[in-house]
Amino acid sequence: AQSVSQHNHHVILSEAASLELGCNYSYGGTVNLFWYVQYPGQHLQLLLKYFSGDPLVKGIKGFEAEFIKSKFSFNLRKPSVQWSDTAEYFCAVRGAGNNRKLIWGLGTSLAVNP
Amino acid sequence: SAVISQKPSRDICQRGTSLTIQCQVDSQVTMMFWYRQQPGQSLTLIATANQGSEATYESGFVIDKFPISRPNLTFSTLTVSNMSPEDSSIYLCSVEGLGDRYEQYFGPGTRLTVT
């Protein structure tokens, strides 16, 4: 069965620290990959996505993610976090094609201390 | 991106009653989805709301418990029927079909508490 695993459930960092959130998926075919973010009191927003091409994708607010097909991974990174990055981060995967169903990870709660 | 609104934003309901949640989009969309987000858990897809046909439900969710309407391309409702405390959750509407058709956009959610 398809699944998504986010390794870190709770992460606490100080401002200016580097961030890497792990995401691994289980799916046999071509995939579309997403990271969504949910800031406190706000709705889910798309952070970045990968469909094809360059496996290193850049998103909003300085975030990037790298798709490593051999490792079934799509880790999220940011070189220097800010207090405003405090949020819940969700990795999601969908099989490419007509199936629109997204498979979600459990999410990672990131707290950035000023 | 689209503007998606949900009503109500939150509600506290008694066991055994039903609540209908509305989702309104400011432009026509092909696909609309209903999710549940329970505390400490991932998002779970309840069903895909298809305009002009019955909704497609995921395993574990049935039409009698979660009837869905999709009367047009900008609106959908989800009813949580005969509620129990286990139905306490955040219910999210999402849409696809705006700009990049592979992206999903989410509404603000409805926080439901069943007592």
Side-chain angles (χ1 to χ4, degrees), chain A residues 32 34 36 38 42-46 49 51 88 90-91 94 97-98 100-107, chain B residues 31 33 35 37 40-45 58-59 90 92 96 100-109:
Chain A
N32 303 143
F34 307 84
Y36 281 82
Q38 189 169 26
Q42 297 188 28
H43 60 276
L44 276 164
Q45 304 171 41
L46 182 69
K49 61 190 178 186
F51 292 115
E88 191 87 15
F90 294 92
C91 179
R94 179 180 62 206
N98 291 327
R100 294 288 189 266
K101 180 179 177 179
L102 283 170
I103 309 298
W104 294 82
L106 283 175
Chain B
M31 308 289 285
F33 306 88
Y35 286 88
Q37 185 179 19
Q41 297 189 24
S42 182
L43 279 77
T44 302
L45 181 64
E58 296 298 310
S59 175
I90 297 173
L92 296 164
E96 187 178 298
D100 184 334
R101 65 186 178 95
Y102 294 105
E103 258 178 58
Q104 285 190 22
Y105 298 88
F106 285 82

